Amino acid sequence: YLFHGSSASRCKSICSTNFRLAMAGTGATWKDPGKDSGTPLYGYGIYMAERITKADEYSGTLEPEEAQSTPVLQMPEGSESEVFTVLLCRIIGGRTNVVTTNEIEVDKLREDVFQGPYNSVFGDRETTLGKPYREVVIYDKDQCYPEFL
């Protein structure tokens, strides 16, 4: 199981219709000023984190029910603190390409998945770079089942 952070409405949409790869890069990915989408670190795919603290960087606060155009989730009664949304997903990684450096060739990663021997990318930024998180990127929505919101 891995985590995916997003807004409450997007999480609900993902639960209803699964992930849409056309949306990759439109969320919290860094973007050039004035652009609607950016280029994600490991290319356009579905990003998952093994730690909730990474996924919550991409999650959104749950608006009060009266502010939601279509109610997504109900705020817990008596809740005065903010509530954030993430998905807990079942992932099939298959044969994984492990990336441990900052020298990332996005086109090569995708080619290795779509035409080569790999099914996913494991961005291990802990081992050699000393970064606090590791991510898994899949490029096929059928490798993922959003199980809990």
Side-chain angles (χ1 to χ4, degrees):
Y1 288 95
L2 296 171
F3 297 100
H4 179 82
S6 194
S7 68
S9 60
R10 285 184 177 177
C11 284
K12 184 177 181 183
S13 175
I14 290 167
C15 288
S16 298
T17 61
N18 206 342
F19 285 88
R20 294 185 311 187
L21 285 165
M23 299 296 293
T26 63
T29 301
W30 183 88
K31 302 168 191 69
D32 286 325
K35 300 283 185 176
D36 291 332
S37 66
T39 303
L41 184 62
Y42 301 107
Y44 295 99
I46 301 167
Y47 282 65
M48 301 288 168
E50 67 179 358
R51 295 186 185 172
I52 187 80
T53 51
K54 177 63 176 175
D56 78 355
E57 292 179 10
Y58 301 93
S59 67
T61 57
L62 181 61
E63 295 178 339
E65 203 168 351
E66 62 273 5
Q68 298 177 32
S69 57
T70 304
V72 176
L73 294 169
Q74 188 175 11
M75 291 287 286
E77 242 180 85
S79 174
E80 294 181 20
S81 61
E82 294 178 319
V83 176
F84 291 80
T85 54
V86 296
L87 294 171
L88 183 62
C89 301
R90 192 180 304 198
I91 303 299
I92 308 260
R95 186 165 183 201
T96 302
N97 183 358
V98 179
V99 177
T100 60
T101 70
N102 275 337
E103 306 303 318
I104 299 167
E105 295 180 43
V106 174
D107 292 335
K108 173 125 175 60
L109 287 179
R110 287 184 59 85
E111 182 181 319
D112 285 350
V113 168
F114 290 115
Q115 298 170 3
Y118 299 109
N119 306 106
S120 61
V121 170
F122 181 71
D124 183 356
R125 300 181 59 75
E126 286 181 354
T127 304
T128 56
L129 298 173
K131 303 285 183 179
Y133 303 112
R134 300 188 300 193
E135 299 176 279
V136 173
V137 184
I138 55 174
Y139 302 92
D140 182 342
K141 66 179 179 57
D142 293 330
Q143 289 176 258
C144 176
Y145 179 75
E147 195 152 329
F148 297 101
L149 171 59

